[in-house]
Amino acid sequence: MPRTRSKLFPTPDDAETAFYEAFERADLAAMMAVWAESDEIVCIHPQGPRLAGFEAVRESWAQIFSGGSQLRVRATEARSYDGPTLAVHNVVELVAPPGENAPVTPVFATNVYELTEGGWRMVVHHATPAPESPRPAEEEPSSQAHTLH
Amino acid sequence: MPRTRSKLFPTPDDAETAFYEAFERADLAAMMAVWAESDEIVCIHPQGPRLAGFEAVRESWAQIFSGGSQLRVRATEARSYDGPTLAVHNVVELVAPPGENAPVTPVFATNVYELTEGGWRMVVHHATPAPESPRPAEEEPSSQAHTLH
Protein backbone atom coordinates (compact mmCIF):
# COMPACT_ATOMS: atom_id res chain seq x y z
CA MET A 1 0.00 0.00 0.00
CA PRO A 2 1.72 3.21 -1.09
CA ARG A 3 1.74 6.00 1.42
CA THR A 4 2.23 9.65 0.75
CA ARG A 5 5.15 10.99 2.70
CA SER A 6 4.78 14.62 3.54
CA LYS A 7 8.09 14.87 5.36
CA LEU A 8 11.67 13.97 4.72
CA PHE A 9 14.19 13.84 7.50
CA PRO A 10 17.57 15.07 6.26
CA THR A 11 19.43 13.91 9.39
CA PRO A 12 18.98 11.26 12.10
CA ASP A 13 18.46 14.08 14.60
CA ASP A 14 15.56 15.39 12.53
CA ALA A 15 13.98 11.93 12.56
CA GLU A 16 14.50 11.64 16.30
CA THR A 17 12.98 15.04 16.98
CA ALA A 18 9.95 14.05 14.88
CA PHE A 19 9.70 10.72 16.74
CA TYR A 20 9.48 12.35 20.16
CA GLU A 21 7.19 15.12 18.94
CA ALA A 22 4.80 12.53 17.49
CA PHE A 23 5.03 10.54 20.72
CA GLU A 24 4.13 13.58 22.83
CA ARG A 25 1.28 14.57 20.55
CA ALA A 26 0.05 10.95 20.33
CA ASP A 27 -0.04 11.51 16.57
CA LEU A 28 -0.07 8.12 14.87
CA ALA A 29 0.39 9.40 11.32
CA ALA A 30 3.34 11.54 12.34
CA MET A 31 4.81 8.66 14.35
CA MET A 32 4.61 6.21 11.48
CA ALA A 33 6.07 8.75 9.06
CA VAL A 34 9.27 8.47 11.10
CA TRP A 35 9.55 4.70 10.67
CA ALA A 36 10.95 2.95 7.61
CA GLU A 37 8.20 1.16 5.71
CA SER A 38 9.76 -2.23 6.03
CA ASP A 39 9.17 -5.70 7.37
CA GLU A 40 12.61 -5.44 8.97
CA ILE A 41 11.82 -2.74 11.53
CA VAL A 42 11.77 -3.74 15.20
CA CYS A 43 10.09 -2.04 18.16
CA ILE A 44 10.38 -3.18 21.76
CA HIS A 45 8.28 -1.10 24.15
CA PRO A 46 9.21 -1.26 27.86
CA GLN A 47 8.44 -4.78 29.09
CA GLY A 48 6.75 -5.52 25.80
CA PRO A 49 7.30 -8.16 23.13
CA ARG A 50 9.57 -7.74 20.16
CA LEU A 51 7.39 -6.35 17.40
CA ALA A 52 8.66 -6.77 13.86
CA GLY A 53 7.37 -5.16 10.68
CA PHE A 54 5.54 -1.94 9.90
CA GLU A 55 2.00 -3.14 10.63
CA ALA A 56 2.81 -4.66 14.03
CA VAL A 57 4.70 -1.53 15.02
CA ARG A 58 1.88 0.71 13.81
CA GLU A 59 -0.73 -1.26 15.76
CA SER A 60 1.30 -0.99 18.95
CA TRP A 61 1.52 2.80 18.69
CA ALA A 62 -2.19 2.98 17.83
CA GLN A 63 -2.91 1.04 21.00
CA ILE A 64 -0.62 3.24 23.11
CA PHE A 65 -2.10 6.45 21.70
CA SER A 66 -5.69 5.21 22.05
CA GLY A 67 -5.33 5.49 25.82
CA GLY A 68 -5.69 9.24 25.41
CA SER A 69 -3.12 10.19 28.01
CA GLN A 70 -0.61 12.43 26.35
CA LEU A 71 2.81 12.08 27.87
CA ARG A 72 5.74 14.44 28.01
CA VAL A 73 8.83 12.69 26.71
CA ARG A 74 12.27 14.24 26.75
CA ALA A 75 15.32 12.44 25.37
CA THR A 76 18.43 13.22 27.44
CA GLU A 77 22.01 12.04 27.90
CA ALA A 78 22.34 10.98 24.27
CA ARG A 79 25.24 8.86 23.15
CA SER A 80 25.38 8.92 19.36
CA TYR A 81 27.12 6.65 16.87
CA ASP A 82 26.97 7.96 13.34
CA GLY A 83 27.74 6.36 10.02
CA PRO A 84 26.97 7.53 6.49
CA THR A 85 23.86 5.34 6.20
CA LEU A 86 23.13 4.22 9.76
CA ALA A 87 22.96 6.09 13.06
CA VAL A 88 22.33 4.95 16.62
CA HIS A 89 21.24 7.12 19.51
CA ASN A 90 21.18 5.68 23.01
CA VAL A 91 19.19 8.02 25.23
CA VAL A 92 17.53 8.30 28.60
CA GLU A 93 13.89 9.21 28.01
CA LEU A 94 12.26 11.16 30.81
CA VAL A 95 8.58 10.26 30.54
CA ALA A 96 5.90 12.03 32.55
CA PRO A 97 2.16 12.53 32.48
CA PRO A 98 0.93 16.10 32.10
CA GLY A 99 1.16 18.33 35.15
CA GLU A 100 3.71 20.40 36.99
CA ASN A 101 4.68 17.90 39.67
CA ALA A 102 3.99 14.64 37.86
CA PRO A 103 6.50 11.89 38.57
CA VAL A 104 9.12 11.35 35.88
CA THR A 105 9.90 7.81 34.77
CA PRO A 106 13.30 7.24 33.18
CA VAL A 107 13.36 4.85 30.23
CA PHE A 108 16.52 3.71 28.45
CA ALA A 109 16.12 3.68 24.67
CA THR A 110 18.28 2.66 21.75
CA ASN A 111 17.06 4.29 18.54
CA VAL A 112 18.44 3.21 15.19
CA TYR A 113 18.00 5.25 12.00
CA GLU A 114 18.76 4.24 8.44
CA LEU A 115 19.19 6.44 5.37
CA THR A 116 16.50 5.39 2.91
CA GLU A 117 15.27 6.80 -0.37
CA GLY A 118 12.87 8.81 1.75
CA GLY A 119 15.54 10.27 4.02
CA TRP A 120 16.49 9.04 7.48
CA ARG A 121 13.95 6.70 9.06
CA MET A 122 13.75 4.80 12.31
CA VAL A 123 14.37 1.05 11.98
CA VAL A 124 14.75 0.05 15.65
CA HIS A 125 13.31 1.46 18.87
CA HIS A 126 14.32 -0.63 21.88
CA ALA A 127 13.08 0.77 25.19
CA THR A 128 13.64 -0.54 28.70
CA PRO A 129 12.44 0.68 32.09
CA ALA A 130 15.34 2.09 34.09
CA PRO A 131 15.88 0.29 37.41
CA GLU A 132 14.11 1.57 40.50
CA SER A 133 15.63 4.64 42.06
CA PRO A 134 18.08 5.47 43.47
CA ARG A 135 19.55 5.31 40.02
CA PRO A 136 23.25 4.48 40.21
CA ALA A 137 25.69 6.94 38.74
CA GLU A 138 26.67 5.91 35.23
CA GLU A 139 30.28 5.59 36.19
CA GLU A 140 29.59 3.12 38.97
CA PRO A 141 28.37 -0.31 38.03
CA SER A 142 25.39 -1.51 39.97
CA SER A 143 26.00 -3.63 42.99
CA GLN A 144 22.97 -5.71 42.07
CA ALA A 145 23.59 -9.34 41.41
CA HIS A 146 22.69 -10.26 37.88
CA THR A 147 21.84 -13.89 37.54
CA LEU A 148 21.30 -13.62 33.82
CA HIS A 149 23.85 -11.18 32.50
CA MET B 1 46.54 2.51 29.27
CA PRO B 2 47.48 0.76 26.03
CA ARG B 3 46.20 -2.75 25.62
CA THR B 4 47.53 -5.38 23.32
CA ARG B 5 44.84 -6.61 21.01
CA SER B 6 45.38 -10.17 19.94
CA LYS B 7 42.33 -10.29 17.71
CA LEU B 8 40.83 -8.20 14.98
CA PHE B 9 37.28 -8.68 13.89
CA PRO B 10 36.98 -8.14 10.16
CA THR B 11 33.16 -8.10 10.20
CA PRO B 12 30.40 -7.26 12.70
CA ASP B 13 29.42 -10.94 12.64
CA ASP B 14 32.91 -11.90 13.74
CA ALA B 15 32.69 -9.47 16.64
CA GLU B 16 29.27 -10.81 17.59
CA THR B 17 30.43 -14.40 17.50
CA ALA B 18 33.36 -13.47 19.74
CA PHE B 19 31.03 -11.62 22.10
CA TYR B 20 28.78 -14.63 22.67
CA GLU B 21 31.71 -17.04 22.87
CA ALA B 22 33.35 -14.87 25.54
CA PHE B 23 30.02 -14.63 27.35
CA GLU B 24 29.59 -18.41 27.39
CA ARG B 25 33.16 -19.00 28.53
CA ALA B 26 32.91 -16.22 31.15
CA ASP B 27 36.19 -14.96 29.68
CA LEU B 28 36.63 -11.34 30.72
CA ALA B 29 39.68 -10.65 28.57
CA ALA B 30 38.00 -12.06 25.49
CA MET B 31 34.81 -10.16 26.30
CA MET B 32 36.57 -6.84 26.64
CA ALA B 33 38.56 -7.44 23.45
CA VAL B 34 35.22 -7.23 21.63
CA TRP B 35 34.35 -3.79 23.01
CA ALA B 36 35.69 -0.51 21.65
CA GLU B 37 38.09 1.09 24.11
CA SER B 38 36.08 4.24 24.50
CA ASP B 39 34.28 6.34 27.04
CA GLU B 40 31.35 6.37 24.64
CA ILE B 41 30.40 2.70 24.87
CA VAL B 42 27.12 1.82 26.60
CA CYS B 43 26.02 -1.45 28.18
CA ILE B 44 22.58 -2.09 29.66
CA HIS B 45 22.25 -5.52 31.22
CA PRO B 46 18.70 -6.85 31.76
CA GLN B 47 17.05 -4.70 34.44
CA GLY B 48 20.39 -3.03 35.08
CA PRO B 49 21.55 0.57 34.96
CA ARG B 50 23.01 2.24 31.91
CA LEU B 51 26.75 1.73 32.16
CA ALA B 52 28.90 4.08 30.12
CA GLY B 53 32.60 3.86 29.38
CA PHE B 54 35.07 0.99 29.13
CA GLU B 55 35.87 0.65 32.83
CA ALA B 56 32.25 0.58 34.00
CA VAL B 57 31.38 -1.97 31.32
CA ARG B 58 34.43 -4.08 32.20
CA GLU B 59 33.55 -4.07 35.91
CA SER B 60 30.01 -5.21 35.17
CA TRP B 61 31.19 -8.21 33.17
CA ALA B 62 33.79 -9.02 35.83
CA GLN B 63 30.98 -9.07 38.37
CA ILE B 64 28.75 -11.23 36.19
CA PHE B 65 31.54 -13.70 35.44
CA SER B 66 32.66 -13.84 39.08
CA GLY B 67 29.48 -15.72 39.91
CA GLY B 68 31.06 -18.77 38.32
CA SER B 69 27.92 -20.03 36.64
CA GLN B 70 28.69 -20.43 32.99
CA LEU B 71 25.66 -19.86 30.84
CA ARG B 72 24.77 -21.07 27.39
CA VAL B 73 23.80 -18.13 25.23
CA ARG B 74 22.52 -18.47 21.70
CA ALA B 75 21.64 -15.45 19.56
CA THR B 76 18.64 -16.17 17.34
CA GLU B 77 16.14 -14.37 15.08
CA ALA B 78 18.67 -11.71 14.10
CA ARG B 79 17.55 -8.57 12.32
CA SER B 80 20.61 -6.83 10.92
CA TYR B 81 21.15 -3.27 9.73
CA ASP B 82 24.49 -2.78 8.07
CA GLY B 83 26.39 0.32 7.07
CA PRO B 84 29.99 0.75 6.00
CA THR B 85 31.13 1.84 9.47
CA LEU B 86 28.25 0.91 11.75
CA ALA B 87 26.16 -2.24 12.14
CA VAL B 88 23.22 -3.09 14.36
CA HIS B 89 22.00 -6.57 15.23
CA ASN B 90 18.76 -7.01 17.09
CA VAL B 91 18.58 -10.57 18.39
CA VAL B 92 16.71 -12.85 20.75
CA GLU B 93 19.26 -14.37 23.12
CA LEU B 94 18.33 -17.77 24.49
CA VAL B 95 20.09 -17.95 27.85
CA ALA B 96 20.28 -21.12 29.90
CA PRO B 97 22.32 -22.57 32.72
CA PRO B 98 24.26 -25.73 31.94
CA GLY B 99 22.26 -28.95 31.76
CA GLU B 100 20.10 -30.79 29.30
CA ASN B 101 16.70 -29.69 30.55
CA ALA B 102 17.60 -26.32 32.00
CA PRO B 103 15.00 -23.61 31.45
CA VAL B 104 15.76 -21.18 28.65
CA THR B 105 15.27 -17.47 29.29
CA PRO B 106 14.74 -15.27 26.22
CA VAL B 107 16.45 -11.90 26.30
CA PHE B 108 16.03 -9.20 23.63
CA ALA B 109 19.33 -7.55 22.73
CA THR B 110 20.37 -4.71 20.47
CA ASN B 111 24.06 -4.95 19.66
CA VAL B 112 25.83 -2.09 17.90
CA TYR B 113 29.24 -2.45 16.26
CA GLU B 114 31.51 0.26 14.91
CA LEU B 115 34.43 -0.03 12.52
CA THR B 116 37.49 1.21 14.40
CA GLU B 117 41.20 1.20 13.65
CA GLY B 118 41.21 -2.16 15.41
CA GLY B 119 38.46 -3.68 13.29
CA TRP B 120 34.79 -3.97 14.23
CA ARG B 121 34.08 -3.46 17.93
CA MET B 122 30.96 -3.43 20.05
CA VAL B 123 29.86 0.03 21.17
CA VAL B 124 26.37 -0.72 22.55
CA HIS B 125 24.84 -3.80 24.14
CA HIS B 126 21.27 -3.17 25.27
CA ALA B 127 19.56 -6.23 26.75
CA THR B 128 16.03 -6.59 28.06
CA PRO B 129 14.19 -9.52 29.61
CA ALA B 130 11.52 -10.81 27.25
CA PRO B 131 8.01 -10.69 28.74
CA GLU B 132 6.71 -13.71 30.60
CA SER B 133 5.54 -16.56 28.45
CA PRO B 134 3.38 -17.18 26.55
CA ARG B 135 5.45 -15.04 24.28
CA PRO B 136 3.25 -13.40 21.66
CA ALA B 137 4.00 -14.08 18.04
CA GLU B 138 6.09 -11.31 16.55
CA GLU B 139 3.45 -10.49 14.01
CA GLU B 140 0.79 -9.89 16.63
CA PRO B 141 1.17 -6.93 18.90
CA SER B 142 0.70 -7.66 22.55
CA SER B 143 -2.72 -7.17 24.03
CA GLN B 144 -1.06 -5.83 27.18
CA ALA B 145 -1.89 -2.27 28.10
CA HIS B 146 1.21 -0.13 28.11
CA THR B 147 0.82 2.88 30.32
CA LEU B 148 4.25 4.18 29.50
CA HIS B 149 4.87 3.32 25.86
Side-chain angles (χ1 to χ4, degrees):
Chain A
M1 174 171 60
R3 289 180 185 81
T4 305
R5 298 291 203 176
S6 55
K7 281 191 180 179
L8 291 177
F9 305 112
T11 70
D13 281 345
D14 293 328
E16 186 149 278
T17 298
F19 173 80
Y20 286 109
E21 284 180 357
F23 194 166
E24 287 200 325
R25 294 201 314 268
D27 182 332
L28 184 60
M31 168 58 74
M32 295 318 297
V34 176
W35 285 85
E37 289 181 71
S38 163
D39 290 340
E40 296 301 312
I41 64 176
V42 167
C43 184
I44 301 168
H45 296 291
Q47 298 177 304
R50 183 198 200 212
L51 304 169
F54 194 86
E55 287 310 317
V57 172
R58 192 191 58 73
E59 284 184 45
S60 74
W61 287 106
Q63 186 181 22
I64 289 165
F65 293 162
S66 71
S69 75
Q70 295 196 338
L71 297 167
R72 287 176 296 144
V73 188
R74 197 153 60 88
T76 66
E77 301 180 44
R79 303 259 171 170
S80 298
Y81 313 89
D82 292 302
T85 61
L86 204 60
V88 179
H89 295 176
N90 182 276
V91 299
V92 180
E93 298 175 351
L94 302 179
V95 184
E100 278 296 313
N101 296 309
V104 174
T105 302
V107 171
F108 301 146
T110 301
N111 298 323
V112 183
Y113 303 92
E114 196 162 37
L115 183 58
T116 72
E117 291 181 1
W120 286 88
R121 302 283 176 194
M122 180 172 268
V123 290
V124 175
H125 173 66
H126 179 173
T128 303
E132 295 293 314
S133 57
R135 209 173 121 212
E138 287 203 359
E139 285 65 33
E140 294 167 13
S142 165
S143 59
Q144 292 170 256
H146 297 293
T147 52
L148 288 176
H149 90 120
Chain B
M1 175 171 59
R3 288 181 186 80
T4 304
R5 296 293 202 176
S6 57
K7 281 191 179 179
L8 292 177
F9 306 113
T11 70
D13 282 345
D14 293 327
E16 185 149 279
T17 299
F19 173 79
Y20 286 110
E21 284 179 358
F23 193 166
E24 287 199 325
R25 294 202 315 269
D27 183 331
L28 185 61
M31 168 57 75
M32 296 317 298
V34 176
W35 286 86
E37 290 181 72
S38 162
D39 290 340
E40 295 301 312
I41 64 175
V42 167
C43 185
I44 302 168
H45 297 291
Q47 298 179 304
R50 184 199 200 211
L51 303 169
F54 194 86
E55 288 309 317
V57 173
R58 192 190 58 74
E59 283 184 46
S60 74
W61 288 106
Q63 185 181 22
I64 289 164
F65 292 162
S66 71
S69 75
Q70 296 196 338
L71 297 166
R72 288 177 295 143
V73 187
R74 197 154 60 85
T76 66
E77 302 179 45
R79 303 259 169 167
S80 298
Y81 312 88
D82 292 302
T85 60
L86 204 60
V88 178
H89 296 175
N90 183 275
V91 300
V92 180
E93 299 175 351
L94 301 178
V95 184
E100 278 297 312
N101 297 309
V104 173
T105 302
V107 171
F108 301 145
T110 301
N111 298 323
V112 183
Y113 303 93
E114 196 163 37
L115 184 57
T116 71
E117 290 182 0
W120 287 88
R121 303 283 175 193
M122 181 172 267
V123 290
V124 175
H125 173 66
H126 180 173
T128 302
E132 295 293 314
S133 58
R135 210 173 120 212
E138 287 202 359
E139 286 66 33
E140 294 167 13
S142 165
S143 59
Q144 293 170 255
H146 297 294
T147 52
L148 286 177
H149 90 123

